[in-house]
């Protein structure tokens, strides 16, 4: 079993410490990393663990089997209100969202998320409920739409060249694997312009993954619904990993504060220490923002 190392744990625990004996929701629980720390150190009356990947939810269930005060719910966090109300939960004290892709997904080449492990072009978080795959996006989307996705969701300045290369290749035969897509992107970007800190295909893979899972739309819906579920004095904590997500969270919190709905507790986002980054390189781009409902 792959054990995911959760990021910014101490900051999450510190900001949830006041909710001992109350209901806390881990809205993107993954393998249950944050959930385990919350159960052990915050000690809520109930922890609701939500995830849209039924396979990874089973991993979390196994990890947390020693705790009785956990309820596991399968579904996308954009449906958080429906999921909770189905269980008779109308109000909660805190909601955590960790928007990072999990080790479980990255280490399993068959899921199609990894740049470094060859596998089918899938990238679906929810293989049971989502029919749109990375294969369809790469092979069937019109060039203009594909370029728009890679430029906007990947913030990739070489989007036009990448799409030109993709279209040329798919004329010959369908692009079926992550390895093929990686090689196409590598060839499309001149080597002297490759980024130093990430693989040159990282932004393209990110963009396609966001499109497949409708991640930004789901986040906007989940934020709105979550604030509605929080009791007065409750908190929403969101960990983002790229600027698109962070901008959505930042602007949403500002809007809530201006309208008198909430109070921002992080004027600047909380970021990992150098020590944490050295221990867990995937934490380097993490940002935690927190808002308290008034």
């Amino acid at each position: 079993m792959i054990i995911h190392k959760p990021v910014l744990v101490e900051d999450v625990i510190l900001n949830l410490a006041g909710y001992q004996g109350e209901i806390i929701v881990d809205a993107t629980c993954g393998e249950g990393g944050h959930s385990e720390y919350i159960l052990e150190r915050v000690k809520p009356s109930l922890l609701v663990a939500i995830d849209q990947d039924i396979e990874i939810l089973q991993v979390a269930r196994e990890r947390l089997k020693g705790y009785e005060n956990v309820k596991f719910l399968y579904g996308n966090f954009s449906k958080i209100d429906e999921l909770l109300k189905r269980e008779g939960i109308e109000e909660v004290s805190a909601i955590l969202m960790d928007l990072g892709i999990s080790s479980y997904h990255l280490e399993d080449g068959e899921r199609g998320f990894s740049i470094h492990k060859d596998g089918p072009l899938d990238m679906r978080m929810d293989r049971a409920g989502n029919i749109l795959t990375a294969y369809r996006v790469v092979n069937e989307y019109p060039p203009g739409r594909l370029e728009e996705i890679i430029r906007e969701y990947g913030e990739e300045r070489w989007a036009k060249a990448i799409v030109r290369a993709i279209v040329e290749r798919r004329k010959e035969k369908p692009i079926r694997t992550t390895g093929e897509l990686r090689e196409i992107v590598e060839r499309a970007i001149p080597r002297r312009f490759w980024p130093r800190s990430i693989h040159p295909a990282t932004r393209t893979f990110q963009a396609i993954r966001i499109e497949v899972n409708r991640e930004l739309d789901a986040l906007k819906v989940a934020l709105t619904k979550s604030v509605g579920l929080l009791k007065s004095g409750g908190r929403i904590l969101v960990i983002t990993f790229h600027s698109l997500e962070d901008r959505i969270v930042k602007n949403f919190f500002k809007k809530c504060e201006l309208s008198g709905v909430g109070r921002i507790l992080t004027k600047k986002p909380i970021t990992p220490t150098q020590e944490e980054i050295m221990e867990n390189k995937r934490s380097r781009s993490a940002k935690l923002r927190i808002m308290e409902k008034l």
Side-chain angles (χ1 to χ4, degrees):
M1 184 192 297
I2 301 154
I3 295 295
H4 175 73
K5 193 174 182 65
V7 304
L8 297 167
V9 167
E10 294 304 322
D11 297 288
V12 168
I13 297 302
L14 179 66
N15 282 281
L16 291 178
Y19 301 106
Q20 182 178 354
E22 300 188 39
I23 300 174
I24 296 175
V25 179
D26 186 346
T28 53
C29 82
E31 295 101 313
H34 282 110
S35 290
E36 186 174 29
Y37 280 97
I38 293 167
L39 286 162
E40 188 65 33
R41 294 173 58 184
V42 181
K43 303 187 186 305
S45 61
L46 175 67
L47 181 110
V48 182
I50 298 172
D51 205 275
Q52 64 178 318
D53 185 335
I54 203 161
E55 297 169 37
I56 209 171
L57 199 60
Q58 187 55 40
V59 174
R61 193 186 295 274
E62 180 65 25
R63 181 175 188 163
L64 305 174
K65 63 184 178 183
Y67 299 93
E68 293 181 357
N69 55 330
V70 192
K71 190 178 286 288
F72 297 94
L73 303 180
Y74 161 59
N76 188 284
F77 69 164
S78 64
K79 297 179 180 176
I80 187 170
D81 56 340
E82 299 168 39
L83 293 168
L84 292 181
K85 284 172 184 175
R86 205 177 294 157
E87 299 297 325
I89 301 170
E90 299 286 339
E91 194 176 59
V92 301
S93 295
I95 298 170
L96 170 67
M97 301 176 184
D98 175 356
L99 306 181
I101 186 168
S102 76
S103 303
Y104 182 86
H105 290 131
L106 288 170
E107 297 297 333
D108 183 357
E110 288 301 307
R111 298 299 297 265
F113 292 101
S114 177
I115 294 168
H116 305 291
K117 297 195 175 191
D118 201 19
L121 276 174
D122 192 326
M123 297 195 193
R124 288 174 297 166
M125 298 286 190
D126 180 4
R127 290 200 288 189
N130 187 2
I131 60 171
L132 180 63
T133 63
Y135 175 89
R136 285 183 57 192
V137 173
V138 170
N139 289 286
E140 298 175 12
Y141 271 34
R145 177 59 183 147
L146 192 53
E147 183 182 334
E148 183 182 27
I149 287 165
I150 294 172
R151 178 175 289 110
E152 291 186 12
Y153 294 168
E155 299 178 295
E156 173 58 79
R157 68 190 184 102
W158 292 96
K160 186 179 284 293
I162 291 165
V163 171
R164 193 184 305 123
I166 287 172
V167 171
E168 285 303 310
R169 177 70 67 88
R170 76 188 193 185
K171 281 178 185 175
E172 301 169 15
K173 61 175 184 175
I175 301 160
R176 298 188 179 279
T177 70
T178 53
E180 290 176 72
L181 181 59
R182 179 186 66 231
E183 179 259 332
I184 290 166
V185 177
E186 287 174 347
R187 288 176 179 271
I189 303 175
R191 196 171 187 97
R192 67 182 182 277
F193 293 113
W194 283 18
R196 291 182 180 179
S197 58
I198 57 173
H199 188 279
T202 299
R203 295 189 180 101
T204 298
F205 272 61
Q206 172 185 296
I208 294 168
R209 190 198 81 222
I210 288 172
E211 171 66 11
V212 167
N213 297 287
R214 302 286 195 258
E215 292 177 27
L216 302 183
D217 291 338
L219 173 60
K220 291 171 186 175
V221 173
L223 288 169
T224 300
K225 289 183 174 181
S226 292
V227 170
L229 289 163
L230 283 177
K231 69 177 190 178
S232 179
R235 291 182 180 182
I236 179 168
L237 295 77
V238 188
I239 301 172
T240 63
F241 287 84
H242 58 75
S243 59
L244 297 173
E245 295 170 337
D246 185 58
R247 197 176 305 131
I248 288 169
V249 177
K250 179 182 178 181
N251 291 339
F252 178 79
F253 282 6
K254 277 186 177 177
K255 184 179 175 183
C256 287
E257 191 167 66
L258 286 170
S259 63
V261 171
R263 178 171 64 97
I264 297 171
L265 302 182
T266 47
K267 297 303 178 186
K268 288 187 177 180
I270 298 168
T271 55
T273 61
Q274 277 303 122
E275 184 181 5
E276 179 171 2
I277 293 169
M278 287 176 67
E279 288 178 5
N280 180 12
K281 286 183 180 178
R282 287 179 186 159
S283 72
R284 67 183 179 272
S285 57
K287 291 181 178 178
L288 169 62
R289 294 185 185 271
I290 306 166
M291 185 183 75
E292 188 170 277
K293 187 172 180 181
L294 295 174

